[in-house]
Amino acid sequence: MADSPVSTKNIYPYYAKSNVDKAGKDTATKGQLGKDEFLKILMTQLKNQDPTDPLKDKEFIAQMAQFTSVEQLSNMTSELKLMRQSLGIASSLIGKEVQWSIPSTKTNEEPKIGTGVVESIIMKEGSQYALIKDEQVNLDSILRISNPVPEAVKE
C-alpha cells in the first residue's frame, strides 16, 4: 500500500503539516475559521476522500449539521454585535449620569469607579465610547445609568 496513488496526507485526520501551515495566512483573520473556511475544508475533504472508504452517511450528515450550526452562530454573532452597537440605543445615553469601572493598573488593586454625565457618543475602531468630561469611556465598562439629579435638589 506504500505505492498507492491515494495520499492520506490531505484526508482528515491526517492533514499534512505543510497544508495546515498554509491555511489562514491572512493576518486579519489568522487563527479564526469562519463558515467559508469550514465549507472549503469540507469540499476539499469530499474531493480527496479515499474512494475505497468514502464518508459514511452518518458522518456526512453530522458534518453538514456542524456547518449549519457554524453558519447560524456566525450570523447570530453578527446580529448581536449590530444590536449592541446600535447608535440609536447608545445616543439615548446623552444627558444621562453614568457610573463606570476604571481598571486598575496595579495587579491586586480594586478597579476605581468614575461618575459623570454623558456629553456625546463616539464611534472609534468599531466600538462605541461615551464622552464624559473629555474622557472617552467604552460603553462596555458602564455599570449604572441614571437620570442626573437637578442642581436645585443637590443643595
Side-chain angles (χ1 to χ4, degrees):
M1 195 75 181
D3 297 331
S4 173
V6 178
S7 170
T8 59
K9 293 201 181 282
N10 58 356
I11 298 175
Y12 177 82
Y14 306 108
Y15 294 130
K17 181 166 177 17
S18 60
N19 290 342
V20 173
D21 291 341
K22 291 178 197 172
K25 289 295 182 185
D26 184 12
T27 56
T29 59
K30 188 170 184 165
Q32 297 179 358
L33 287 178
K35 58 184 178 181
D36 294 334
E37 291 80 11
F38 183 84
L39 187 57
K40 286 177 187 176
I41 291 171
L42 181 62
M43 294 308 297
T44 303
Q45 182 177 351
L46 289 173
K47 283 185 214 174
N48 298 310
Q49 67 180 334
D50 183 357
T52 62
D53 186 26
L55 282 176
K56 307 289 185 255
D57 289 343
K58 291 178 185 177
E59 293 172 356
F60 183 72
I61 291 169
Q63 286 184 346
M64 291 307 294
Q66 285 177 333
F67 172 70
T68 303
S69 296
V70 167
E71 183 177 26
Q72 289 174 350
L73 285 172
S74 175
N75 293 340
M76 195 166 55
T77 300
S78 299
E79 291 298 320
L80 285 173
K81 185 175 182 180
L82 287 173
M83 189 171 76
R84 184 178 62 90
Q85 292 188 346
S86 171
L87 196 55
I89 293 171
S91 65
S92 67
L93 291 175
I94 297 173
K96 300 285 185 182
E97 184 175 51
V98 295
Q99 189 178 66
W100 70 94
S101 173
I102 303 168
S104 174
T105 55
K106 298 176 184 170
T107 48
N108 291 329
E109 191 174 273
E110 291 289 321
K112 295 179 182 168
I113 303 296
T115 306
V117 176
V118 177
E119 298 166 10
S120 67
I121 301 296
I122 300 168
M123 289 291 294
K124 185 170 79 173
E125 299 171 2
S127 294
Q128 294 177 335
Y129 295 85
L131 183 64
I132 305 167
K133 300 176 191 167
D134 297 326
E135 185 175 347
Q136 295 178 10
V137 176
N138 191 323
L139 294 187
D140 291 337
S141 64
I142 291 179
L143 303 172
R144 183 178 59 86
I145 304 167
S146 63
N147 286 320
V149 179
E151 291 296 321
V153 177
K154 287 182 182 177
E155 296 172 3

